[in-house]
Amino acid sequence: MATASGDPGQFGSVQLWIAEPVGGGKLARDLLETTDSAFAVAFSPDGTKLAAAGADRAVRVWDVATGKELALIEDHADWIFDLAWSPDGKRLATASRDKTSKVFDVEKKESIATFPGHAETVYCVSFTPDGKSIATGGADNQIRVWNPDEDAKQVRVVGGFGGAVFRLMFAPDGKTMLACGADKIVRTFENFAPKATLSGHNDWIYSLALAPDGKTIASGSWDGEVRLWNLLDGKPVRTILAAPGYKPEANAQASAR
């Protein structure tokens, strides 16, 4: 397991952990300590590499077994919120506050495509399972789909969101897309067409995960609540309070003072 953490302009870290069978974890290695927050981590498809990015505007890649840094790529003009590996592990796609998404050749350590269409902060990015398209979500309340292999053209726009799109992902079947964001709704799509809306969260939704069997969705919101949903019928399965006692509004007021 890998974690990214920190406070922008103060500190940041990327760490590798060994998950314990009975819960919890054991620190395996510190990969990065910096003065800027790390926002995103992603393992390569074969699990041998780890990529991370954050407020320092850089993408870093490490060898998981040795902890050796394999690549440092600096091409964005602002914070990087998300990154995703291509299915073949040769490219990385990013989402940035500089209003672009980019695609990088990991071995050459260079940018090979830039997607500027959102004209607002880009929060999330994902390759389709076949690697032929890239989807991005942003503060313009839309998901945009791009062709990274031919002149970086936009091929589709998916709308209908009531706020910024913070997270998106694809199911292994290649047809199902999941997305969530500031409108407090988890949405499912089939071949990019709207399929279901899963309502119940009371705050912005920042995270999504799909169970290995593809049957259950997990969504996590700013108020510390995790909800499980049945992907097939969209019905709620279970609600978990992952951060007992956490009150976002009270914390925000304390920070303001």
Side-chain angles (χ1 to χ4, degrees):
M1 182 176 71
T3 57
S5 61
D7 284 329
Q10 296 185 41
F11 76 94
S13 68
V14 176
Q15 297 175 311
L16 279 176
W17 300 80
I18 299 173
E20 301 288 351
V22 295
K26 178 181 178 182
L27 180 63
R29 180 176 287 115
D30 287 304
L31 292 176
L32 177 68
E33 291 186 0
T34 180
T35 57
D36 260 324
S37 181
F39 294 134
V41 289
F43 285 100
S44 61
D46 63 6
T48 62
K49 299 179 184 69
L50 179 73
D56 65 358
R57 303 171 295 177
V59 175
R60 291 179 172 84
V61 180
W62 293 272
D63 180 275
V64 171
T66 65
K68 179 182 178 181
E69 187 176 285
L70 303 176
L72 172 61
I73 306 170
E74 297 176 294
D75 194 55
H76 275 289
D78 211 330
W79 295 0
I80 302 172
F81 284 118
D82 196 17
L83 46 76
W85 289 89
S86 61
D88 62 8
K90 295 181 179 180
R91 296 170 294 172
L92 275 168
T94 54
S96 173
R97 197 168 68 168
D98 69 7
K99 304 179 183 179
T100 71
S101 172
K102 291 178 178 284
V103 183
F104 298 95
D105 183 304
V106 176
E107 184 176 351
K108 294 181 179 179
K109 306 179 184 64
E110 63 184 24
S111 173
I112 56 178
T114 299
F115 310 132
H118 283 280
E120 296 283 353
T121 296
V122 187
Y123 287 113
C124 53
V125 62
S126 180
F127 277 88
T128 53
D130 61 8
K132 294 181 180 180
S133 301
I134 292 174
T136 57
D140 62 349
N141 305 354
Q142 293 179 325
I143 288 175
R144 298 175 183 269
V145 185
W146 313 86
N147 183 340
D149 296 321
E150 293 183 3
D151 57 16
K153 282 188 175 181
Q154 179 178 290
V155 296
R156 187 185 302 269
V157 177
V158 180
F161 295 91
V165 182
F166 293 142
R167 190 67 55 199
L168 68 88
M169 65 178 298
F170 290 91
D173 64 11
K175 298 179 180 179
T176 304
M177 182 177 71
L178 316 175
C180 65
D183 63 4
K184 309 174 188 178
I185 296 172
V186 177
R187 300 174 189 272
T188 68
F189 302 82
E190 186 169 335
N191 294 322
F192 300 109
K195 184 177 180 181
T197 56
L198 315 182
S199 301
H201 277 287
N202 298 303
D203 214 333
W204 291 5
I205 307 173
Y206 281 105
S207 58
L208 283 175
L210 186 63
D213 63 8
K215 296 180 180 180
T216 306
I217 305 169
S219 56
S221 54
W222 175 247
D223 58 5
E225 189 175 78
V226 175
R227 289 178 177 254
L228 303 182
W229 314 83
N230 186 317
L231 177 59
L232 296 179
D233 58 19
K235 292 183 178 180
V237 176
R238 186 181 179 188
T239 299
I240 303 168
L241 186 56
Y246 178 61
K247 298 179 180 180
E249 292 183 2
N251 286 357
Q253 292 170 3
S255 297
R257 291 196 293 269

